[in-house]
């Protein structure tokens, strides 16, 4: 090698020059240790300024730079990364620049030295990576660390073939490393796992971005099912190329199962008990639990629970259990031997009955004596156990608030792992939470049925026979947790062939609202019976509501309870007279009735909106309107027109459109269509509906006479009545009618004030009415033995079906109804 003196540098010394002096404490360039002993090594000398002063033929072949170019060049131009700062003699990796532009990762050792002038320099010995450095004494190499790694770790090349496997991978896969090398994932893992891993490896080789995902399954056919957190990472060369991928798998089964159990419990809390229906609540528990914990589950409840009785398991003998719910991982639930709703008697020695009696859960396998005895006593169950290969069973009682409600049986047949003690604890927690929901549903159902039975007992079962209208009605209780409300309706026959139509609504739901509704309905009937006008009737009803609210408040205060909400209700009272065809209405905060003429259209009766009942101190007003025969009247509560789908105004508009030109339709059909059209599938409020078609009494069904106030004309009145009855072919009731007319006319002439009027109305009954201007009403009294009078009204009460007094602004009317004989068939 020629001497070369780079500008500003020291004299260049060829690596094969014999002129390098020996220096104590330094390494001779001609006899370097380690790689310098190899034939034709790649070596270079760098002075203290970082300039290359020596370059061997091996360095020229390795990096492509001839000696004349390398000498005098700063070493920083040849080395792409700072790999020369390692301690003297320690091997390290540095990235060198080849003359053709490539970057080469090379092993390099730096040895300190001095030149002929005594200046410091370094001797660099460079070897390719294919010539691995021998391990330093007492230090573990990377290969050893990889081989002994307890984590399942493997390295794959770009052809997706294994090149390394850690001790952890050998242990988990059950294969020696030699058997795995050169094989693909598909040759090592089960098909259910390998495709996802291999797909991830392909993506990482393409993108260079690491991926992480979860795998669940068995890595060995004879191994347990595990959950793995798999990470696929790229292994990048110094040049930035991805030539290999590293696949590591960490067993996270315990953490995964813990999160899965928490998620299952959370789903039980949020998804079970959403409907407050016993059967549906049990089915929700079965739907959430199956597949995530069991392959099949059945839930049986004590049969007494469905009868509204607090359930108590029998101490001895078979226990009847009703199947409330069941679910399976198999379509059609083929494992079941009992259908939902059916009752099955369980022998006293079976695990479900023992769980009911003791309140303790139990874990079994198919070989347990208890399971064998149960299967032998029931051939159907024995066949199911054999056919589906049931191998693990849990029996868990459902208990809430100290009451045993039923039992859940969970089995496994498709999943190979048997139930564990942890699974039993989880099932007990699920059963405890579900049992509370089932008990809530049971108690709600019992209270709702009680309130509904009370409400239906307070509502009319059938409408009374009368002549004024043809009527149909519907009552639909709310399907919410609040229970039925206080909606009511009524059709009340009045004197003079008239009828009162009533619709009302007590604010609130539950037993309190139902009981209040019953009180108000009874009060309306009582006030209607004394023939009060509509506005006066509502005034008295308002006073009664205020009094009831005060009594409830006093009772709650004495009991120490917090005072409840104010008692508020609405009411619509409509009276229709078929003789005059006049309709009178008054409202206490209730939606107005719909009126439809015989030829339409539908419209709302303009009733002055009075205050709700319970407000107190405000008057009510009435409105009158004449209705043609065949007109339609519709009374309803706000639940029909106001719900989640539309507000009150929108509901009223829809109701009017539905009733437009509907006067001639059958009433029963019309009621069904209104409910179907206006209500959502699950109404949130009660609905009461009364639809009535008006009738009119012809002139030949009514006879009226004005009588002079002369007792001698009573005989003439009797004669006129008998003549009219002859014309109506009602001679069978002539005696009773003659007696009634005689007594009522005599009392009006003797004790009343003129003018006196007699009216007969022929309808479903014969109605006799006598009116005068006096406001004093007669009273029936007990006559003494020798009294000459006082027996008239007693006789009237004996021959008439009913009688009474009707007051009006200009006097009173005494009336009596006489039963007509049934027509010949």
């Amino acid at each position: 090698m020629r001497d070369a003196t780079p500008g500003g540098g020291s004299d260049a010394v060829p690596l094969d020059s014999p002129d390098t002096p020996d220096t104590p404490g330094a390494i001779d360039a001609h006899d370097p240790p380690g790689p310098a002993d190899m034939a034709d090594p790649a070596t270079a000398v760098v002075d203290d300024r970082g300039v290359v002063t020596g370059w061997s033929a091996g360095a020229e072949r390795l990096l492509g730079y001839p000696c004349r170019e390398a000498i005098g060049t700063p070493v920083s131009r040849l080395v792409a990364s700072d790999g020369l700062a390692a301690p003297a003699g320690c091997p390290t990796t540095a990235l060198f620049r080849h003359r053709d532009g490539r970057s080469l990762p090379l092993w390099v050792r730096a040895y300190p030295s001095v030149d002929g002038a005594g200046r410091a320099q370094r001797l660099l010995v460079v070897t390719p990576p294919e010539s691995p450095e021998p391990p330093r004494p007492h230090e573990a190499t990377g290969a050893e660390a990889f081989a002994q790694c307890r984590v399942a770790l493997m390295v794959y090349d770009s052809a997706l073939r294994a090149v390394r496997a850690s001790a952890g991978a050998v242990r988990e896969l059950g294969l020696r490393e030699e058997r795995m090398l050169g094989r693909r994932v598909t040759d090592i893992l089960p098909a259910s796992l390998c495709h996802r891993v291999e797909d991830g490896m392909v993506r990482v080789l393409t993108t260079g971005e690491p991926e992480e995902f979860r795998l669940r399954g068995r890595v060995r056919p004879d191994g347990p099912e595990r959950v793995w957190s798999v990470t696929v990472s790229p292994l990048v060369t110094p040049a930035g190329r991805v030539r290999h991928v590293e696949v590591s798998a960490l067993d996270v089964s315990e953490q995964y199962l813990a999160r899965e159990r928490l998620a299952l419990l959370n789903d039980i809390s949020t998804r079970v008990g959403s409907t407050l229906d016993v059967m549906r609540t049990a089915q929700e528990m079965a739907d959430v639990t199956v597949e995530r914990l069991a392959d099949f589950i059945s839930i049986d409840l004590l049969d007494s629970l469905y009868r509204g009785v607090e359930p108590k398991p029998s101490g001895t003998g078979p226990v009847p259990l009703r199947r409330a719910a069941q679910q399976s991982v198999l379509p059609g639930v083929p494992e079941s031997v009992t259908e939902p709703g059916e009752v099955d008697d369980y022998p006293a020695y079976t695990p479900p009955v023992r769980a009911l009696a003791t309140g303790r859960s139990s874990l079994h396998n198919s070989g347990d004596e208890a399971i064998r005895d149960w299967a032998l006593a029931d051939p159907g169950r024995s066949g199911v156990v054999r056919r589906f290969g049931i191998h693990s069973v849990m029996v868990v009682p459902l208990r809430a608030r100290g009451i045993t409600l039923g039992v859940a049986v969970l089995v496994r047949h498709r999943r190979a792992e048997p139930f564990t003690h942890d699974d039993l604890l989880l099932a007990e927690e699920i059963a405890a939470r579900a049992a509370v929901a089932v008990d809530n549903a049971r108690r709600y159902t019992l209270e709702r049925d009680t309130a509904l039975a009370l409400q239906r007992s307070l509502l009319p079962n059938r409408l009374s026979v009368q002549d004024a209208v043809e009527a149909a009605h519907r009552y639909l209780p709310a399907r919410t947790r609040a229970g039925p409300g206080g909606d009511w309706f009524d059709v009340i026959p009045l004197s003079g062939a008239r009828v009162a139509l009533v619709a009302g609504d007590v604010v609130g739901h539950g037993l309190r609202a139902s009981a209040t509704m019953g009180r108000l309905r009874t009060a309306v009937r009582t006030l209607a019976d004394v023939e009060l006008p509509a506005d006066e009737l509502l005034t008295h009803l308002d006073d009664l509501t205020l009094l009831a609210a005060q009594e409830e408040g006093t009772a709650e205060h004495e009991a120490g309870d917090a005072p409840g909400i104010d008692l508020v209700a609405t009411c619509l009272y409509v009276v229709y007279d078929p003789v005059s065809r006049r309709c009178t209405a008054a409202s206490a905060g209730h939606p107005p009735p719909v009126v439809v003429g015989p030829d339409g259209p539908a419209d709302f009766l303009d009733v002055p909106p009075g205050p709700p009942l319970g407000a107190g101190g405000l008057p009510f007003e009435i409105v009158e309107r004449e209705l043609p025969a065949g007109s339609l009247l519709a009374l309803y509560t706000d639940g029909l027109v106001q719900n989640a789908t539309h507000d009150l105004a929108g509901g009223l508009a829809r109701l009017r459109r539905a009733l437009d030109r509907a006067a001639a339709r059958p009433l029963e059909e019309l009621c069904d269509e209104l409910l179907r059209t206006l209500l959502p599938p699950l109404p949130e409020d009660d609905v009461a509906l009364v639809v009535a078609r008006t009738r009119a009494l012809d002139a030949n069904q009514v006879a009226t006479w004005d009588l002079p106030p002369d007792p001698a004309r009573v005989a003439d009145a009797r004669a006129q009545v008998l003549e009219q009855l002859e014309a109506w072919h009602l001679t069978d009731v002539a005696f009773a009618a003659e007696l009634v007319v005689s007594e009522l006319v005599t009392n009006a002439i003797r004790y009343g004030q003129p003018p006196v009027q007699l009216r007969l109305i022929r309808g479903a009954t014969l109605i006799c009415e006598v009116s005068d201007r006096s406001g004093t009403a007669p009273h029936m009294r007990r006559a003494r033995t020798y009294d000459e009078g006082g027996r008239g009204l007693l006789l009237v009460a004996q021959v008439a079906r009913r009688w009474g007094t009707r007051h009006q602004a200009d006097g009173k009317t005494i009336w009596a109804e006489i039963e007509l004989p049934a027509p010949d068939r």
Side-chain angles (χ1 to χ4, degrees):
M1 182 183 293
R2 293 181 302 144
D3 292 343
T5 306
S10 60
D11 295 337
V13 181
L15 294 184
D16 53 359
S17 171
D19 300 330
T20 304
D22 293 335
T23 303
I27 297 177
D28 190 348
H30 292 286
D31 191 21
D37 294 332
M38 293 185 296
D40 202 10
T43 58
V45 178
V46 180
D47 65 12
D48 59 347
R49 295 175 301 165
V51 177
V52 176
T53 59
W55 194 254
S56 71
E60 180 176 347
R61 285 193 301 270
L62 184 61
L63 296 177
Y65 294 97
C67 182
R68 62 181 178 275
E69 291 185 22
I71 297 298
T73 302
V75 72
S76 60
R77 295 182 182 178
L78 303 179
V79 183
S81 60
D82 186 12
L84 308 180
C90 292
T92 185
T93 302
L95 194 63
F96 285 79
R97 294 188 181 90
H98 195 276
R99 191 168 183 269
D100 60 7
R102 290 179 296 143
S103 295
L104 299 178
L106 302 173
W107 286 101
V108 60
R109 288 175 183 268
Y111 296 92
S113 178
V114 293
D115 61 6
R119 292 188 293 268
Q121 63 181 14
R122 286 179 295 171
L123 173 64
L124 305 181
V125 181
V126 182
T127 57
E130 288 77 7
S131 303
E133 290 292 321
R136 293 176 61 85
H138 311 298
E139 290 186 10
T141 65
E144 291 173 341
F146 187 93
Q148 298 177 28
C149 178
R150 306 298 294 176
V151 177
L153 182 65
M154 296 191 68
V155 177
Y156 290 85
D157 60 18
S158 58
L160 305 183
R161 298 190 180 277
V163 297
R164 292 302 306 270
S166 69
V170 171
R171 183 185 65 254
E172 296 295 344
L173 296 175
L175 297 173
R176 295 193 306 273
E177 183 179 13
E178 295 80 11
R179 295 191 58 186
M180 289 187 280
L181 296 181
R183 300 173 68 180
R184 299 182 59 155
V185 180
T186 52
D187 301 325
I188 300 174
L189 293 179
S192 59
L193 303 177
C194 62
H195 294 297
R196 189 173 180 190
V197 175
E198 200 163 76
D199 291 344
M201 293 165 59
V202 170
R203 288 191 297 271
V204 172
L205 283 169
T206 304
T207 64
E209 296 294 330
E211 288 194 10
E212 183 177 356
F213 48 85
R214 297 285 175 88
L215 288 179
R216 181 172 184 171
R218 296 178 178 85
V219 296
R220 288 189 288 177
D222 58 341
E225 186 178 60
R226 311 286 284 276
V227 180
W228 304 89
S229 176
V230 178
T231 303
V232 182
S233 304
L235 295 180
V236 184
T237 67
R241 294 177 56 197
V242 180
R243 296 177 58 187
H244 296 79
V245 291
E246 175 190 86
V247 180
S248 63
L250 185 64
D251 185 358
V252 293
S253 301
E254 291 299 326
Q255 299 91 321
Y256 179 85
L257 292 177
R259 286 194 295 268
E260 195 175 56
R261 292 186 177 105
L262 289 175
L264 178 55
L265 291 176
N266 181 68
D267 287 347
I268 289 291
S269 300
T270 57
R271 294 170 54 185
V272 176
S274 60
T275 61
L276 286 179
D277 177 81
V278 173
M279 298 286 283
R280 182 59 197 161
T281 299
Q283 188 61 51
E284 289 171 343
M285 173 188 171
D287 293 341
V288 174
T289 305
V290 80
E291 192 169 19
R292 301 170 70 176
L293 180 61
D295 296 332
F296 168 75
I297 180 173
S298 65
I299 301 173
D300 298 317
L301 302 179
L302 289 166
D303 189 48
S304 58
L305 182 145
Y306 295 89
R307 300 194 300 270
V309 180
E310 185 170 294
K312 293 181 180 179
S314 173
T316 59
V319 177
L321 295 174
R322 187 180 296 273
R323 180 61 51 86
Q326 58 189 21
Q327 190 55 273
S328 169
V329 295
L330 303 177
V333 197
E335 307 96 325
S336 174
V337 297
T338 304
E339 294 300 320
E342 293 182 355
V343 177
D344 193 4
D345 290 329
Y346 285 73
Y349 58 82
T350 59
V353 175
R354 292 179 182 175
L356 290 173
T358 62
R360 293 192 295 270
S361 305
S362 57
L363 180 61
H364 308 272
N365 59 56
S366 58
D368 286 354
E369 181 179 356
I371 299 298
R372 289 202 312 268
D373 293 345
W374 187 15
L376 290 175
D378 190 337
R381 284 189 172 86
S382 178
V384 167
V385 171
R386 291 194 304 271
R387 184 165 69 253
F388 294 98
I390 293 175
H391 60 85
S392 190
V393 180
M394 290 192 298
V395 181
V396 185
L398 272 67
R399 290 177 55 83
R401 303 180 180 93
I403 301 174
T404 302
L405 305 174
V407 63
V409 178
L410 299 88
V411 306
R412 279 184 178 176
H413 54 77
R414 190 176 69 174
R415 192 180 303 188
E417 293 81 10
F419 289 119
T420 64
H421 182 67
D422 289 340
D423 293 328
L424 185 63
L425 294 177
L426 176 61
E428 289 175 343
E429 183 65 26
I430 292 173
R433 299 191 184 192
V436 172
V438 170
D439 190 52
N440 288 339
R442 175 189 70 86
R443 299 171 68 183
Y444 164 76
T445 300
L446 180 61
E447 181 177 344
R448 184 178 185 276
D449 290 346
T450 302
L452 193 57
L454 172 63
Q455 189 168 37
R456 291 195 182 279
S457 69
L458 297 174
L459 292 172
N461 294 323
R462 59 185 181 86
L463 302 181
S464 303
V465 178
Q466 36 75 38
D467 297 313
V469 296
E470 172 196 2
H473 63 89
R474 293 289 185 274
Y475 170 72
L476 191 65
R479 299 182 183 179
T480 62
R481 299 189 179 191
D487 293 21
W488 90 91
F489 65 92
D490 214 339
V491 178
I492 307 172
L494 302 177
S495 64
R498 298 171 305 133
V499 68
L501 305 175
V502 188
D505 184 4
V506 177
V507 175
H509 292 80
L511 288 173
R512 180 175 184 265
S514 298
T516 303
M517 175 273 291
R519 297 173 68 179
L520 293 180
R521 177 174 177 259
T522 302
V524 170
R525 275 194 163 263
T526 302
L527 296 173
D529 192 55
V530 299
E531 303 285 355
L532 288 179
D535 53 345
E536 293 185 24
L537 182 143
L538 292 182
T539 299
H540 284 282
L541 200 61
D542 183 41
D543 294 339
L544 177 65
T545 305
L546 288 171
L547 179 60
Q550 293 175 0
E551 291 176 350
E552 287 190 8
T554 302
E556 290 172 349
H557 179 72
E558 292 177 352
D561 298 333
I565 61 173
D566 294 337
L567 188 59
V568 179
T570 65
C571 184
L572 176 65
Y573 188 77
V574 179
V575 177
Y576 173 69
D577 187 345
V579 177
S580 64
R581 300 193 300 276
R582 295 196 66 80
C583 173
T584 304
S587 172
H590 202 83
V594 181
V595 179
V596 188
D599 300 322
D603 198 4
F604 292 102
L605 189 63
D606 190 16
V607 184
L613 301 175
L618 297 174
F620 300 96
E621 301 180 32
I622 62 174
V623 64
E624 291 189 3
R625 179 172 172 179
E626 185 174 338
L627 300 179
S631 297
L632 204 65
L633 275 170
L635 284 71
Y636 52 91
T637 55
D638 60 356
L640 182 68
V641 293
Q642 186 176 15
N643 51 57
T645 61
H646 49 259
D647 57 9
L648 180 60
L652 291 175
R654 294 179 62 185
L655 175 62
R656 181 166 57 183
R657 288 194 299 269
L659 288 173
D660 200 18
R661 303 187 185 280
R665 296 187 58 182
L667 297 185
E668 296 291 338
E669 177 185 315
L670 181 59
C671 287
D672 292 336
E673 182 173 341
L674 289 176
L675 296 182
R676 186 170 54 252
T677 303
L678 299 176
L679 294 181
L682 295 176
E684 297 179 356
D685 197 4
D686 288 18
V687 175
L689 172 66
V690 177
V691 179
R693 181 175 289 114
T694 63
R695 299 178 179 136
L697 297 179
D698 297 335
N700 59 6
Q701 292 181 267
V702 181
T704 305
W705 299 275
D706 292 326
L707 303 178
D710 182 1
R713 303 300 298 272
V714 175
D716 294 339
R718 290 199 298 267
Q720 291 171 325
V721 168
L722 292 175
E723 181 180 355
Q724 184 63 56
L725 292 179
E726 181 74 23
W728 284 344
H729 306 289
L730 297 177
T731 55
D732 292 342
V733 297
F735 173 76
E738 185 179 11
L739 176 60
V740 169
V741 168
S742 178
E743 292 298 331
L744 295 185
V745 171
T746 299
N747 282 340
I749 292 176
R750 179 177 297 178
Y751 303 109
Q753 296 179 3
V756 177
Q757 187 182 73
L758 170 63
R759 185 170 73 163
L760 292 183
I761 301 174
R762 187 196 70 187
T765 61
L766 179 65
I767 302 173
C768 302
E769 294 184 344
V770 177
S771 303
D772 67 83
R773 291 293 181 89
S774 172
T776 303
H779 299 279
M780 187 169 57
R781 61 185 179 87
R782 183 182 298 276
R784 291 186 292 272
T785 303
Y786 298 103
D787 288 349
E788 295 182 0
R791 297 180 178 85
L793 289 181
L794 180 61
L795 294 175
V796 170
Q798 294 298 315
V799 300
R801 189 177 70 171
R802 62 183 188 133
W803 73 280
T805 303
R806 181 171 71 248
H807 291 271
Q808 50 261 9
D810 56 353
K812 68 177 183 299
T813 298
I814 311 298
W815 55 272
E817 292 185 3
I818 300 173
E819 194 79 39
L820 294 179
D824 295 336
R825 296 182 180 269

